[in-house]
């Protein structure tokens, strides 16, 4: 057996975690030979529920799950964490402005960034899921100067998975033939699902599909608004597919990326090769050697369509960063 790794999860009593924790404990995320210690963060609100989650995990008798610790103090729960999956966040309520949401959640991510800075393993990889996830990740990153900025991610893998599904359906192929799909920008309706560089069976998706109007006017808004469309049907936001995409995002960092392919994750724009403003967390195409780190893939074709859309998402994130400058010290 390998040495157990500590995986800390916030919002652990929530819907997404209810799917994700069992995947992690089963070995499907970090590998069948990787023992896990789960540190689950809740709050006064969720104390009882968190005990229930721990009971269910224990009753599942997962051979790889060596310990489950629960608590409401990030300084205890993030201790020695090698991975921090930050899922808990206050949902947007009726009449609430985006800036109010940024402020309320921002406070949570200041506290959690500081706690990670103080007690997490120095190589800790942080994946922020709670919305607005790009800017929450920025806040956590800026409050954790002891950690490598390259170890902070915001989740856009669900958007990538959604884009792959829609391209496969349109082309009438199975989705494992769709590759090289990038989500650029913010995990919001300004996100840019990149059909220009996407491939189907190794050929340009644009040529295989042969319908630019569909790609621009149907595919793009379908992906941008898929989250809201699902809430209308289900009455709640996506949980199972989000958990799957978090597992995918982690697996992409701990296994080598297949030759010629890439995956999307929102990362620090510092020194990025696409001229995107620095000081924000922006989804881009990345590759990994499988050691938990990544590099941004250079040289994708950025045509006028992409450039204009990417600019709009960049402007949105720059505004969000300005709104929270008092929390990031920038
Ligand atoms: P849930 O409503 O099930 O809650 C998750 C946790 O968030 C709760 O257990 C709670 O944790 C915490 N929370 C709830 N209300 C508050 C509050 N007022 N203040 C602080 N924390 C609070 O949510 P989901 O699991 O469905 O979703 C979690 C997050 O993930 C949301 O922000 C959602 O928008 C986001 N999301 C992101 C996606 C992405 O692709 N990036 C996709 C889908 C969802 P506790 O009580 O323990 O503090």
């Amino acid at each position: 057996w390998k040495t157990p790794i500590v995986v800390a999860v916030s919002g652990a009593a929530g819907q997404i975690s209810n799917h994700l924790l069992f995947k992690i404990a089963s070995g499907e995320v970090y590998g069948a030979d990787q023992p896990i210690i789960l540190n689950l963060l809740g709050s006064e609100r969720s104390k009882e529920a968190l005990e229930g989650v721990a009971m269910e995990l224990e009753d599942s008798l997962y051979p790889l799950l060596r310990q489950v610790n629960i608590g409401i103090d990030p300084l205890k729960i993030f201790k020695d964490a090698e991975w921090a999956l930050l899922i808990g966040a206050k949902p947007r309520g009726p009449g609430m402005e985006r800036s109010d949401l940024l402020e309320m959640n921002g406070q949570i991510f200041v506290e959690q960034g500081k706690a990670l800075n103080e007690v997490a393993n120095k190589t800790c990889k942080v994946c922020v899921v709670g919305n607005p996830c790009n800017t929450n990740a920025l806040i956590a990153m800026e409050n954790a100067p002891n950690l490598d900025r390259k170890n902070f991610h915001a989740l856009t893998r669900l958007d990538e998975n959604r884009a792959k599904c829609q391209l496969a359906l349109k082309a009438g192929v199975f989705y494992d033939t769709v590759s090289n799909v990038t989500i650029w920008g913010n995990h919001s309706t300004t996100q840019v699902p990149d059909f220009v560089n996407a491939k189907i069976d190794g050929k340009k998706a644009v040529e295989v599909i042969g319908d630019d109007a569909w790609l621009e006017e149907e595919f793009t808004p379908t992906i941008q608004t898929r989250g809201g469309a699902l809430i209308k049907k289900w009455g709640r936001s996506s949980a199972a597919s989000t958990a799957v995409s978090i597992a995918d995002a982690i697996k992409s960092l701990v296994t080598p990326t297949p030759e010629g392919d890439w995956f999307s994750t929102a990362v620090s724009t510092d020194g990025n090769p696409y001229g995107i403003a620095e000081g924000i967390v922006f989804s881009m195409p990345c590759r990994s050697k499988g050691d938990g780190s990544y590099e941004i893939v250079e040289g994708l074709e950025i045509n006028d369509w992409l450039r204009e859309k990417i600019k709009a998402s960049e402007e949105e994130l720059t505004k969000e960063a300005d709104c929270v400058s008092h929390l990031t010290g920038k």
Side-chain angles (χ1 to χ4, degrees):
W1 294 107
K2 293 182 182 169
T3 313
I5 54 168
V6 177
V7 181
V9 181
S10 77
Q15 295 189 75
I16 295 171
S17 295
N18 193 36
H19 295 272
L20 180 66
L21 295 174
F22 294 84
K23 285 179 167 297
I24 292 174
S26 75
E28 98 175 65
V29 179
Y30 292 99
D33 59 348
Q34 179 58 68
I36 304 283
I37 296 172
L38 277 177
N39 282 4
L40 308 181
L41 183 68
S43 67
E44 286 295 345
R45 255 186 326 268
S46 60
K47 250 177 161 174
E48 291 273 311
L50 210 53
E51 283 176 29
V53 173
M55 285 160 72
E56 279 215 274
L57 282 164
E58 286 162 2
D59 294 347
S60 301
L61 304 182
Y62 288 114
L64 291 169
L65 186 57
R66 299 304 160 86
Q67 259 183 56
V68 181
N69 304 306
I70 61 175
I72 63 171
D73 180 358
L75 286 167
K76 289 193 180 131
I77 291 299
F78 292 165
K79 180 108 183 69
D80 301 329
E82 281 152 89
W83 289 81
L85 312 177
L86 305 185
I87 301 174
K90 185 177 166 55
R92 190 165 174 171
M96 194 188 277
E97 295 297 326
R98 198 173 171 86
S99 55
D100 299 334
L101 188 70
L102 278 167
E103 179 66 32
M104 286 172 130
N105 280 316
Q107 299 292 349
I108 300 173
F109 287 86
V110 168
E111 186 196 5
Q112 296 187 357
K114 285 185 173 156
L116 286 168
N117 194 50
E118 221 167 292
V119 299
N121 188 297
K122 290 293 164 266
T123 64
C124 183
K125 317 283 181 292
V126 183
C127 177
V128 177
V129 179
N131 277 318
C133 62
N134 294 56
T135 298
N136 289 341
L138 176 73
I139 295 168
M141 180 176 86
E142 297 295 359
N143 282 280
N146 293 341
L147 303 187
D148 188 341
R149 292 166 78 82
K150 282 195 77 173
N151 285 341
F152 285 80
H153 299 258
L155 184 79
T156 53
R157 186 54 168 269
L158 176 59
D159 307 299
E160 177 187 321
N161 289 355
R162 288 167 169 167
K164 282 182 166 160
C165 174
Q166 293 305 312
L167 289 174
L169 286 172
K170 179 71 176 175
V173 297
F174 196 59
Y175 23 79
D176 64 353
T177 60
V178 184
S179 64
N180 302 83
V181 174
T182 311
I183 300 295
W184 297 92
N186 200 359
H187 172 69
S188 76
T189 53
T190 68
Q191 67 175 264
V192 191
D194 177 351
F195 54 78
V196 176
N197 293 283
K199 291 185 180 162
I200 297 174
D201 249 336
K203 299 181 212 66
K204 288 191 111 185
V206 180
E207 282 161 22
V208 175
I209 288 175
D211 185 348
D212 287 1
W214 179 83
L215 288 164
E216 292 178 8
E217 288 154 33
E218 281 190 49
F219 167 76
T220 301
T222 296
I223 304 311
Q224 289 170 328
T225 60
R226 184 86 164 167
L230 193 123
I231 291 174
K232 275 201 192 121
K233 302 269 180 204
W234 237 141
R236 59 166 176 73
S237 75
S238 56
S241 59
T242 308
V244 169
S245 73
I246 298 168
D248 287 343
I250 298 168
K251 282 189 274 183
S252 287
L253 291 170
V254 299
T255 48
T257 310
E259 192 57 42
D261 203 359
W262 58 72
F263 54 88
S264 310
T265 178
V267 292
S268 163
T269 46
D270 296 1
N272 78 86
Y274 291 100
I276 294 156
E278 300 208 342
I280 53 178
V281 169
F282 200 87
S283 185
M284 290 182 277
C286 294
R287 290 180 54 77
S288 176
K289 294 187 179 73
D291 57 357
S293 70
Y294 67 87
E295 59 194 41
I296 299 170
V297 178
E298 299 188 26
L300 269 68
E301 176 192 350
I302 309 292
N303 64 12
D304 291 346
W305 159 268
L306 280 179
R307 189 170 300 108
E308 186 191 318
K309 301 272 174 205
I310 288 172
K311 194 82 205 153
S313 207
E314 178 186 336
E315 279 168 10
E316 182 179 55
L317 279 169
T318 307
K319 277 195 197 128
E320 286 187 19
D322 288 345
C323 274
V324 299
S325 58
H326 59 297
L327 303 176
T328 56
K330 297 282 155 177

